[in-house]
Amino acid sequence: MTRTRCRADGAEVTLRSKTMVLDFAGECDGTAGIRLVAELPDAGGAEDGGTVVLERDAATVTQPGGEIRLAAREPLHWDGEPVDAEFVLPESPESTVLSVRGLVVRLGE
């Protein structure tokens, strides 16, 4: 399937109890695949800065201290309406590490 540029601005993201608003940009291919990337703000702390990468079934958070790979509680879908998603450590699925609220993916932007 053809990859299309897409973006999702103003999504509310909570990472380890810290909430922020992020703008994501990346590529989508229909409803099968998505890869959105956002820069984390850098307030000067040891774990500040880095990136969040959202994919259909997973998320990757890269920060100065390292990288963690998270599994989606449910596959990420997008249809032009706001969606919420939660991502967990595969070995500890009872604890949400990353949550995304109000993600509205727009194609071709």
Side-chain angles (χ1 to χ4, degrees), residues 13-44:
V13 175
T14 301
L15 174 62
R16 295 187 205 102
S17 303
K18 182 177 179 180
T19 301
M20 61 205 92
V21 175
L22 300 179
D23 296 331
F24 289 89
E27 294 182 333
C28 304
D29 62 10
T31 58
I34 186 168
R35 185 175 192 281
L36 295 171
V37 180
E39 297 292 324
L40 291 167
D42 188 350

Side-chain angles (χ1 to χ4, degrees), residues 34-90:
I34 186 168
R35 185 175 192 281
L36 295 171
V37 180
E39 297 292 324
L40 291 167
D42 188 350
E47 291 187 355
D48 289 344
T51 59
V52 174
V53 178
L54 301 180
E55 297 175 283
R56 185 174 186 274
D57 296 314
T60 304
V61 178
T62 305
Q63 292 186 286
E67 180 178 285
I68 57 171
R69 183 91 170 145
L70 304 168
R73 280 199 198 274
E74 295 181 15
L76 182 62
H77 67 278
W78 62 99
D79 55 11
E81 297 296 320
V83 297
D84 298 338
E86 292 185 337
F87 299 89
V88 299
L89 289 169

